């Protein structure tokens, strides 16, 4: 899935495990074969959360990215952290001041560096 599809939700979202194995609907009574990733895979049906930090690469943006990674490591579920520095992607997301944070493609913060505890509350 492309970066713009993740940010703006333009691509169809399919359920998958951590190894990108697609989970399909089964008829009643059928069971799905387990994927090959073993214990690293989240249970089928669990959704992962994506945190996207948007910023040009300044010191404040790097600090925000580190705070997001700290919050993700303390979170109970599967949380992925992305860092976008592309000015076109930032502008297309409607961000007027950086750093900014998106949770699953939705803008939740702009123009300030949130502490890991504040980010964890947004999850």
């Amino acid at each position: 899935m492309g970066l713009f599809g993740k940010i703006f939700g333009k691509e169809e979202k399919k359920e998958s495990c951590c190894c990108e194995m697609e989970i399909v609907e089964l008829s009643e009574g059928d069971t799905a074969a387990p994927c090959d990733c073993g214990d690293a895979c989240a249970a089928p049906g669990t959704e992962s959360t994506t945190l996207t930090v948007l910023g040009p690469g300044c010191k404040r943006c790097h600090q925000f990215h580190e705070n997001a990674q700290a919050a993700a490591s303390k979170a109970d579920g599967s949380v992925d952290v992305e860092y976008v520095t592309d000015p076109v992607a930032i502008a297309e997301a409607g961000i007027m001041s950086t750093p900014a944070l998106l949770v699953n493609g939705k803008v939740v913060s702009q123009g300030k560096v949130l502490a890991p505890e504040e980010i964890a509350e947004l999850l």
Side-chain angles (χ1 to χ4, degrees):
M1 181 183 308
L3 172 64
F4 296 111
K6 285 183 180 179
I7 292 175
F8 302 112
K10 292 183 180 176
E11 293 184 21
E12 182 178 320
K13 186 169 183 158
K14 296 179 181 176
E15 288 188 56
S16 64
C17 73
C18 64
C19 63
E20 300 300 322
M21 181 178 170
E22 186 178 339
I23 300 171
V24 296
E25 290 186 30
L26 300 172
S27 56
E28 195 170 319
D30 289 344
T31 58
C35 65
D36 296 329
C37 60
D39 292 335
C41 181
T46 59
E47 295 181 24
S48 67
T49 302
T50 302
L51 295 176
T52 306
V53 177
L54 301 169
C58 62
K59 184 177 179 180
R60 291 179 64 212
C61 298
H62 284 291
Q63 180 62 51
F64 197 23
H65 182 236
E66 290 173 13
N67 291 352
Q69 289 177 323
S73 67
K74 294 177 184 177
D76 288 337
S78 173
V79 180
D80 299 319
V81 180
E82 300 174 343
Y83 186 29
V84 177
T85 59
D86 180 25
V88 175
I90 294 170
E92 287 182 353
I95 303 302
M96 298 305 289
S97 72
T98 58
L101 179 68
L102 280 65
V103 176
N104 291 335
K106 180 181 176 187
V107 178
V108 295
S109 174
Q110 291 188 55
K112 60 183 176 179
V113 178
L114 299 177
E117 296 79 23
E118 293 173 308
I119 296 170
E121 290 176 13
L122 297 171
L123 298 175

